[in-house]
Amino acid sequence: MKYRLLGRTGVWVSEISLGAMTFGGKDHPVYRTHGALGQEEVDRIVGTALDAGINFIDTADVYADGESEELLGRAIGGRRRDVLLATKLLAPVGPGPNDQGLSRLHVMRALDDSLRRLKTDYIDLYQLHNYDHVTPIEETLSALDDAVRQGKVRYIGCSNFAAWQISKALGISALHNQAKFVANQTHYSLVSRDAERDLVPLAEDAGLSLTVWQPLAGGFLTGKFDRGGATTEHDSRRARNGFDFVPFDEEKGFRVLDVLRAVAARHEVSPARVAIAWLLAQRAVTSVIVGARKPEQLTDNIAAGDLTLTEQDLAELDEVSRSPIAYPNWIQEWFAPTRIPAGNLA
């Protein structure tokens, strides 16, 4: 296992991390389609991950209504020091009007509840699961800073924020000398490269870690789909859900899949392994979060860290998956050479 720095913290995290959305939810109307693993299965998955060198595990309080955190806490057990534990908050976790959001009231309640479910005294990375358009970000950041100072949280981060929202938060934290975001968890894959427009440049400029969720686009990039539908009826989240949680241009997606399969065949590995290896080769990516229902799936995903794609592989995958350059990026690139004196051009 290889390790990369978590932002500018000096903390090393595994470049493959374990996502716990598949943990629990057997009777839940939504999470039963994500894996619904019980304690014995969770113990095997977590044990496989830790034994392989994964030290970064991500969950959220909303996953299976808190059951994911409970199962994960029990699975970690006495190996807590081996794990950088990340969880998230914002989504509704109860019927009350204040059982959601990023108010100081909910942040403090949610944190204590997560600590109890995870059976730990502290969270290594506490992340805002989405942006709260109701609560002023100043209130949220103040509550998070208090949690850090109390020792209940080591570092803070965000997920699914726009670049301007992250920039605003970083500025407020700097202004008030508060704990600031060190990581951003975002969706990024060969069929969804929107993060490259603003979030990747922001991560590089601000020294933020970029952790990636849904690297296989809900199972699409495993190669189990063809243009007629899933080729493995019961082994795809997209097939089980009956809807596409991660939206993308499916026609373009199948063109990407054609190239992905060809690259995988050259290396005699799975398409999933290539898709993850491609992400690990991209700018600013710190860790790719993989979820698994079976240990063998996790083992195959972990092996992506040992796969080195050639320049030909990367060029072919980039060509078929590249997104149009958005404004103002294209015009800034067009003007950039004019800022370099002619005599200094290499």
Side-chain angles (χ1 to χ4, degrees):
M1 180 61 63
K2 303 181 185 72
Y3 300 87
R4 302 184 182 190
L5 285 169
L6 183 71
R8 292 173 178 161
T9 66
V11 173
W12 296 92
V13 296
S14 50
E15 64 179 9
I16 303 291
S17 43
L18 178 64
M21 187 183 282
T22 58
F23 298 178
K26 179 180 178 182
D27 299 319
H28 194 281
V30 174
Y31 289 95
R32 66 186 181 190
T33 68
H34 288 67
L37 302 183
Q39 190 66 64
E40 186 176 338
E41 297 164 306
V42 170
D43 290 347
R44 280 199 296 270
I45 292 291
V46 171
T48 299
L50 296 180
D51 290 345
I54 286 178
N55 73 343
F56 191 20
I57 303 181
D58 178 80
T59 186
D61 59 5
V62 72
Y63 295 166
D65 289 341
E67 190 181 1
S68 172
E69 288 185 331
E70 292 176 349
L71 294 168
L72 177 58
R74 287 195 288 267
I76 291 172
R79 301 183 71 174
R80 178 66 181 91
R81 288 178 63 89
D82 298 335
V83 178
L84 282 105
L85 189 55
T87 192
K88 303 182 284 292
L89 79 151
L90 175 129
V93 290
N98 293 310
D99 291 332
Q100 61 182 303
L102 297 177
S103 67
R104 171 178 286 273
L105 175 66
H106 184 60
V107 169
M108 293 306 188
R109 283 180 179 174
L111 175 55
D112 285 342
D113 288 342
S114 286
L115 290 170
R116 172 179 50 79
R117 286 190 292 261
L118 287 163
K119 302 186 188 322
T120 186
D121 296 326
Y122 63 96
I123 303 296
D124 294 291
L125 179 62
Y126 201 39
Q127 303 160 109
L128 309 182
H129 210 158
N130 211 319
Y131 192 77
D132 184 347
H133 292 275
V134 175
T135 305
I137 191 66
E138 290 87 349
E139 168 153 339
T140 305
L141 293 170
S142 176
L144 292 174
D145 184 66
D146 286 347
V148 172
R149 294 177 189 274
Q150 291 164 4
K152 293 181 177 181
V153 170
R154 298 292 189 253
Y155 302 103
I156 62 172
C158 60
S159 180
N160 305 313
F161 274 43
W164 72 265
Q165 293 164 342
I166 299 174
S167 293
K168 179 179 179 180
L170 291 173
I172 291 169
S173 296
L175 179 65
H176 297 290
N177 194 29
Q178 296 173 333
K180 64 179 181 178
F181 294 154
V182 302
N184 173 35
Q185 186 179 127
T186 188
H187 174 52
Y188 191 9
S189 77
L190 274 165
V191 293
S192 184
R193 296 177 61 177
D194 295 342
E196 295 173 350
R197 293 179 175 175
D198 295 301
L199 293 171
V200 168
L202 171 65
E204 292 180 311
D205 182 70
L208 284 175
S209 266
L210 200 67
T211 59
V212 177
W213 62 268
Q214 284 281 15
L216 302 178
F220 183 82
L221 294 174
T222 62
K224 295 170 183 172
F225 283 81
D226 57 29
R227 286 169 174 80
T231 57
T232 306
E233 182 181 357
H234 300 293
D235 204 25
S236 164
R237 186 176 302 168
R238 286 169 65 90
R240 294 193 308 275
N241 282 346
F243 67 94
D244 297 342
F245 173 63
V246 180
F248 59 86
D249 181 342
E250 195 166 271
E251 182 179 345
K252 180 179 179 181
F254 280 116
R255 294 198 297 272
V256 171
L257 200 53
D258 289 339
V259 176
L260 185 65
R261 285 170 170 152
V263 173
R266 279 204 294 265
H267 290 272
E268 298 182 334
V269 299
S270 69
R273 200 182 300 186
V274 174
I276 294 170
W278 178 85
L279 278 167
L280 291 173
Q282 302 311 301
R283 296 161 45 202
V285 170
T286 301
S287 188
V288 176
I289 302 169
V290 300
R293 295 166 56 231
K294 302 173 184 177
E296 54 266 32
Q297 291 175 327
L298 178 59
T299 299
D300 184 71
N301 290 170
I302 290 171
D306 296 322
L307 175 61
T308 301
L309 299 177
T310 66
E311 290 186 10
Q312 178 186 352
D313 298 331
L314 292 170
E316 290 177 1
L317 290 167
D318 180 65
E319 177 65 28
V320 72
S321 65
R322 187 186 303 128
S323 300
I325 300 178
Y327 174 84
N329 303 50
W330 60 262
I331 200 165
Q332 289 186 4
E333 288 189 9
W334 191 73
F335 272 102
T338 66
R339 298 288 298 140
I340 303 173
N344 288 4
L345 289 173

